[in-house]
Amino acid sequence: LSAAYEAARDHLLYIVSDLTPEQASKEPAPESRTILYYLTHIANSELYWLSATGRKVVVYAKTVPLDIALDLLGDVRKRMLRELKECPEEELVFQPPTETAKPSLGWVISRITLHTLYHSGEIIYARYAVGGSDLPNDELEEHWGKMMDAVAHLIFFTKQ
């Protein structure tokens, strides 16, 4: 679980690593979401789902500057990895939320990893639309490949 989560986060941070605050906050098309929106949305979603397990979290504002959004993503990453390391084994199963049960941490990590993967594709498109430079193809392929391999492992080898 942690390998997939970290690979997705590494890829996300790589694809935004060279963007300026102006590029991150520019709409790629009229009335569309900015890269900064997606970054804060990903962090806030992770906190939301972590709270759904019954854990206490700090809620952040939806609109923050790029440096704070990146710090927030780093803080949330540390928290998720700590929770994974410290949780009991029974929380690592894939248990979605039901009317009578909270989601397991394993389910939460799986969901937020796939959520990051989904929005990474939108961010890749948006980065070029706002004037982001071309990422070196070999580095992009390396990050993408690591993330896809980790996510495939997550999907096919998660404890049920």
Side-chain angles (χ1 to χ4, degrees):
L1 287 171
S2 62
Y5 176 78
E6 288 206 86
R9 181 54 55 83
D10 287 345
H11 179 70
L12 175 66
L13 295 175
Y14 173 72
I15 64 175
V16 300
S17 64
D18 65 335
L19 295 178
T20 66
E22 293 75 24
Q23 289 169 323
S25 59
K26 182 179 178 183
E27 290 181 350
E31 298 183 36
S32 63
R33 294 180 172 149
T34 67
I35 292 169
L36 189 55
Y37 168 85
Y38 286 118
L39 296 176
T40 54
H41 168 69
I42 289 167
N44 284 324
S45 294
E46 291 183 12
L47 291 171
Y48 168 80
W49 284 113
L50 187 60
S51 73
T53 67
R55 291 164 169 86
K56 301 266 188 241
V57 300
V58 175
V59 179
Y60 289 85
K62 291 201 178 234
T63 305
V64 295
L66 179 59
D67 59 335
I68 294 173
L70 293 173
D71 287 346
L72 173 58
L73 285 165
D75 292 345
V76 172
R77 179 186 203 160
K78 289 176 193 170
R79 173 75 186 272
M80 290 296 183
L81 294 174
R82 187 181 84 236
E83 294 291 346
L84 269 172
K85 184 178 179 180
E86 296 174 358
C87 79
E89 182 77 20
E90 59 269 13
E91 276 202 75
L92 298 178
V93 298
F94 189 85
Q95 172 58 53
T98 66
E99 289 183 20
T100 58
K102 296 175 183 173
S104 66
L105 186 61
W107 181 87
V108 167
I109 296 295
S110 299
R111 182 173 182 115
I112 64 178
T113 298
L114 293 174
H115 183 243
T116 297
L117 170 67
Y118 172 77
H119 285 308
S120 291
E122 293 174 307
I123 291 169
I124 285 282
Y125 163 77
R127 69 170 277 116
Y128 296 114
V130 300
S133 62
D134 287 343
L135 293 169
N137 204 35
D138 55 339
E139 289 181 29
L140 181 59
E141 287 293 324
E142 179 183 344
H143 283 272
W144 178 255
K146 284 181 183 176
M147 180 177 65
M148 293 306 293
D149 289 346
V151 169
H153 188 268
L154 174 74
I155 291 169
F156 295 112
F157 298 103
T158 298
K159 297 177 185 177
Q160 297 294 326

